[in-house]
Amino acid sequence: MLTFAALKWILTFVGIKTSFSMKAGIVGLPNVGKSTLFNCLSNAKAQSANFPFCTIEPNIGVVNVPDSRLEKLEELVKPERVLPATVEIVDIAGLVKGASKGESLGNKFLANIRETDAILHVIRCFDNDNIVHVDGSINPIRDKETIDMELQFKDLETVEKKLDKVKRAAKTGNKEAQKEEAVLKKIKENLESGISVRALEFSEDDYVAYVKPSQFITDKPVMYVCNVDEASAVTGNAYVEQIREAVKNENAEVLVLAVGTEADINELDDYEERQMFLEDIGLDEPGSSKLIRLAYKLLNQQTYFTAGEKEVRAWTINVGATAPQSAGVIHTDFEKGFIRAEVIAYNDYVAYGSEAKVKEAGKMRVEGKNYIVKDGDVMHFLFNV
């Protein structure tokens, strides 16, 4: 039996990459600020310029998730290194009308979106005659509907192909096929009415059996990123209110972000200068940091920590993951040979200041295979390998 401390040394020695990352794709019309936003979020530098279709191949950046809890654990433990949780952000080329029919490399762009786990839909919500708009005027609702329509058309193709197959089985009296046919017909009718799959309600059984396996693009969780001018960075503007009203029934996040201003802030090397810039426009942190945390939430992700002298690390797991599943994120053998987990609540760790003091106070818990890990848990795993 190995303790977590021993295994950390093994992993470091053999160089195993043990974490996983889900992808959020940045989409929108050409020239609305997608690549500028991508550059704000990642260390990569995507090409960004004042003309449509600047991005053709998708750019991928691995972005650290800002988490003040990790900083606090670093302060208490003083490890040799600190590793934050990450999210993959994909900058996908701009879509236009006809993308679902293959216009302007549309099929390629839509295939890139299908490979992501969530959508960050950037919408231009500012006036500036010096920045070209692909449709010649500023109209956030029209822009949103253009993207929605292309994604819905692609999903309509998917559901129609599936219906053709399922109908034949349903006609033979196959009860399972008949249930699936009813679900697919509901999806088809709503897509034809301009309603995305994510806005529909299904029983849990129907969703797991018939909806989720189809990987509909419009079923992916979405965040609408309203790209505004600097003056609207805090309160938004009339364009933002139009978007909020339009998506109120979509179960979607809406974030106001002055992307150009964020880019200017990122150019400053001095931390204090950045903070002064933020304070001047009324923000207490970069909007890009808020976006990353919301994207993490959008992907249904949460964090648990491991903390030792060698390393303090944030591990990404799905909300609702059990202790063995969470151990499996470190290595699959941990899940297979799971025995138990030693768990400290983050607040207890901070309150007592060290693992030893938490143990002395009787605040360390021993949890078994059915334990559902909570966001912020500090954990050790015991297992057989």
Side-chain angles (χ1 to χ4, degrees):
M1 182 175 71
L2 289 174
T3 64
F4 181 77
L7 200 62
K8 279 195 300 185
W9 181 86
I10 293 171
L11 292 176
T12 302
F13 180 77
V14 300
I16 295 174
K17 177 176 171 53
T18 55
S19 189
F20 72 95
S21 186
M22 298 184 76
K23 295 179 183 178
I26 301 176
V27 305
L29 291 175
N31 217 30
V32 296
K34 300 186 309 301
S35 294
T36 304
L37 174 61
F38 176 81
N39 288 336
C40 288
L41 297 177
S42 72
N43 292 325
K45 290 292 180 184
Q47 186 184 8
S48 176
N50 187 22
F51 55 88
F53 304 111
C54 180
T55 304
I56 296 178
E57 292 298 325
N59 296 292
I60 301 176
V62 178
V63 182
N64 293 340
V65 178
D67 195 330
S68 60
R69 298 173 302 181
L70 193 65
E71 297 169 9
K72 186 64 178 178
L73 288 172
E74 178 183 11
E75 178 187 320
L76 294 172
V77 179
K78 297 179 174 55
E80 293 179 11
R81 65 174 182 171
V82 177
L83 294 173
T86 61
V87 173
E88 282 191 23
I89 303 293
V90 186
D91 177 25
I92 296 168
L95 293 174
V96 294
K97 287 181 182 177
S100 59
K101 304 300 180 186
E103 295 291 332
S104 299
L105 301 177
N107 284 331
K108 180 176 176 57
F109 300 163
L110 288 163
N112 292 333
I113 296 171
R114 193 180 295 280
E115 292 172 3
T116 65
D117 303 289
I119 294 172
L120 308 178
H121 184 167
V122 181
I123 302 173
R124 179 170 171 175
C125 292
F126 66 90
D127 296 302
N128 187 331
D129 293 338
N130 294 320
I131 299 178
V132 178
H133 189 289
V134 69
D135 288 328
S137 61
I138 310 304
N139 186 330
I141 299 301
R142 176 202 60 207
D143 294 354
K144 174 192 176 301
E145 290 175 349
T146 296
I147 298 296
D148 285 350
M149 186 169 60
E150 295 306 322
L151 301 184
Q152 289 162 0
F153 280 158
K154 201 63 183 176
D155 278 353
L156 201 52
E157 287 182 17
T158 300
V159 77
E160 285 174 344
K161 287 177 183 176
K162 290 187 73 70
L163 264 173
D164 286 344
K165 294 179 181 178
V166 170
K167 280 179 179 177
R168 291 192 289 270
K171 285 179 180 178
T172 67
N174 184 309
K175 298 295 184 183
E176 194 68 20
Q178 290 172 351
K179 286 165 64 177
E180 183 173 6
E181 181 183 25
V183 171
L184 294 176
K185 279 183 176 179
K186 175 181 176 178
I187 292 171
K188 180 176 183 293
E189 290 167 3
N190 280 278
L191 287 171
E192 288 172 338
S193 299
I195 300 172
S196 295
V197 177
R198 76 177 69 87
L200 306 180
E201 292 185 3
F202 304 95
S203 70
E204 185 175 350
D205 288 345
D206 284 351
Y207 181 79
V208 171
Y210 312 126
V211 183
K212 189 175 181 180
S214 298
Q215 296 183 304
F216 293 111
I217 296 175
T218 65
D219 188 37
K220 296 180 186 295
V222 63
M223 181 196 307
Y224 293 101
V225 181
C226 295
N227 184 10
V228 301
D229 54 26
E230 184 177 312
S232 306
V234 177
T235 59
N237 55 31
Y239 291 139
V240 174
E241 292 309 311
Q242 291 173 21
I243 294 297
R244 284 186 173 133
E245 179 64 22
V247 306
K248 64 183 181 183
N249 296 322
E250 281 194 36
N251 190 29
E253 296 276 0
V254 176
L255 179 69
V256 177
L257 194 65
V259 175
T261 303
E262 295 279 333
D264 291 340
I265 293 172
N266 273 9
E267 293 299 319
L268 299 174
D269 294 327
D270 185 76
Y271 173 79
E272 290 186 1
E273 284 186 17
R274 290 188 182 192
Q275 290 304 115
M276 287 175 62
F277 198 144
L278 288 169
E279 289 172 8
D280 285 345
I281 61 175
L283 297 175
D284 56 4
E285 68 171 344
S288 54
S289 295
K290 187 181 295 184
L291 186 148
I292 295 166
R293 285 198 299 271
L294 284 174
Y296 196 63
K297 178 182 174 184
L298 196 68
L299 290 163
N300 199 37
Q301 303 287 279
Q302 66 180 23
T303 299
Y304 75 85
F305 302 103
T306 53
E309 292 180 2
K310 291 285 185 183
E311 175 183 286
V312 167
R313 183 164 184 165
W315 298 90
T316 300
I317 56 172
N318 291 325
V319 173
T322 63
Q325 289 169 338
S326 302
V329 172
I330 299 174
H331 196 285
T332 53
D333 284 347
F334 291 20
E335 182 173 1
K336 293 174 185 175
F338 179 89
I339 299 172
R340 63 180 182 274
E342 296 175 344
V343 183
I344 303 171
Y346 169 78
N347 289 338
D348 286 339
Y349 203 112
V350 171
Y352 291 95
S354 72
E355 182 179 316
K357 290 181 180 178
V358 170
K359 287 181 178 178
E360 287 175 14
K363 292 292 185 178
M364 177 182 280
R365 309 189 314 275
V366 175
E367 302 287 357
K369 293 183 177 181
N370 295 324
Y371 177 66
I372 303 298
V373 176
K374 296 180 176 60
D375 187 51
D377 279 349
V378 182
M379 305 184 73
H380 289 175
F381 297 107
L382 285 85
F383 50 90
N384 284 317
V385 291

